[in-house]
Amino acid sequence: MAESVGAILAWLVPALVVFGVTAILVAVLAWGIRRARRSPRARAAAEQERTRAGATLVRLDDAVAELDLEVGLSGALYGGGGPVSLRRARMTAQHVRDESFDEYRALSASDAAPADIRRLAARIDRRSADALTVIASARAEHAEWVRANVSAASQVASARERLAQLRASMGDPAALVGDLSARFAEEEWRDASRAAHAAAAAADEASRLLDAAEARAADPSQSVLAELASAERALRTAEADARILEETHRLVLQAAQALPGEIDAACTALRQAGVTREHLDPGDAERLGAELRAIESELTTVEADAARHPSRSVDRIARLRGRLDLALGDARTAQQRIRGARTALPGTLAAARSAIARAEASVAHSHGGADARARLLSAQDELARARQVDDPVAALDAARRALRHAEDAKALAEYSRLGGR
């Protein structure tokens, strides 16, 4: 019996050693592979893939904008009776762009493994490149159809009518800027002034391009599609800047109108926080009291020059309300949180709308990259969510996220404009 046990052990021990060593080696190898896949070098390579996909996505976004321009131009010039491939390409490209931006935003916000980032980035890059090919083909077909079916003179005449309508709708941009500059500090109307000058310059550029197109139209063998497309692009730029001017004017006036109510609501919230403080433990009460005094001091500073800086003041008050919520933490009842959110929501929505308007202008003028555009989309989505939800606490949270995303989008666009990635 002893001999049998000894024989078994003589066989078993070496086998266990071999299997044990093999298992350890496999585990070490698997750990090494996982570590290599998540190493800084792997993450850097994945980030390059994501950046490349973002660049292709930006090209697609710009191409969709150009396609929108061309579809609108076809409707204005000849009733849109050209080949249906142009509109079909636009629908396909818009769908791919929207889905790809959703994927890019999710990818940018996640902590995915480098392999997953590369896989999703490759998908975004591939789908965007395919959509760009479809757009190029449709535009080539459309250009050939226009050359064969639409006279240059009629194209120029229709475009001049569009320019006249634009100038009429713009009215007197200087009057809007003058209204703001007479009442408010320069920082309140600086963007409006810049937009007014840009809109006028773009309209003048469109007129110059139409003059060039008209000169070429005298030769029936010449195509004016390139000049007309450039003129339409200038018209779109003028329209966009005119909208920025009108939106800035409206938001500043709304901020000035809402300012007294925002100040009163913030003062009321501070008084209610003081009542809540009375029911806290001494240590917590002292910490909250110090923060309340600091917030009250800043609110007094804001109020001192609020009349000249309404937009900035509404924004600062919204941030002070957020700081007050953070200071109170869980000290309030659910009913108090709801009541506080309900009074803080209008000002925070106004601050978010202004921040988004500034971000939209920065992205448009800097031709911001994919990250700036993705953050802007996130800000717009959060603002829409804040307006739709019934729960004031959830709406306030969404409005604050919209504000943060808009600020990030503007910062990224400015970085891109200054020569960053």
Side-chain angles (χ1 to χ4, degrees), residues 308-337:
R308 291 282 293 168
H309 304 85
S311 297
R312 187 185 72 180
S313 298
V314 167
D315 180 85
R316 291 177 65 184
I317 291 171
R319 296 176 191 279
L320 288 175
R321 294 298 300 270
R323 182 175 166 183
L324 178 59
D325 286 349
L326 186 63
L328 287 167
D330 296 328
R332 296 174 298 175
T333 65
Q335 189 62 36
Q336 287 173 330
R337 283 195 295 273

Side-chain angles (χ1 to χ4, degrees), residues 36 47 55 87 89 114 138 146 158 219 236 243 287 296 341 359 403:
E47 178 61 21
R87 288 171 179 76
V146 168
S158 297
D219 183 353
R236 291 290 181 93
R243 283 194 298 271
R287 283 190 293 272
E296 185 176 13
L403 182 57

Side-chain angles (χ1 to χ4, degrees), residues 78-113:
Y78 51 83
V84 297
S85 57
L86 198 67
R87 288 171 179 76
R88 189 180 299 121
R90 180 177 65 169
M91 291 179 61
T92 300
Q94 285 174 335
H95 181 70
V96 171
R97 178 200 60 186
D98 294 344
E99 282 195 346
S100 296
F101 261 118
D102 287 341
E103 292 177 347
Y104 187 85
R105 288 158 62 191
L107 187 61
S108 301
S110 69
D111 189 24

Side-chain angles (χ1 to χ4, degrees), residues 6-49:
I8 293 174
L9 289 175
W11 172 86
L12 183 60
V13 170
L16 289 174
V17 170
V18 171
F19 285 122
V21 171
T22 302
I24 291 172
L25 290 174
V26 170
V28 169
L29 181 61
W31 175 83
I33 292 173
R34 286 197 299 270
R35 184 176 178 83
R37 287 177 175 175
R38 293 180 177 272
S39 66
R41 180 178 297 178
R43 289 206 169 274
E47 178 61 21
Q48 289 181 350
E49 293 291 332

Side-chain angles (χ1 to χ4, degrees), residues 1 67 133 335 376 386:
M1 183 67 176
L67 197 58
T133 301
Q335 189 62 36
L376 180 56

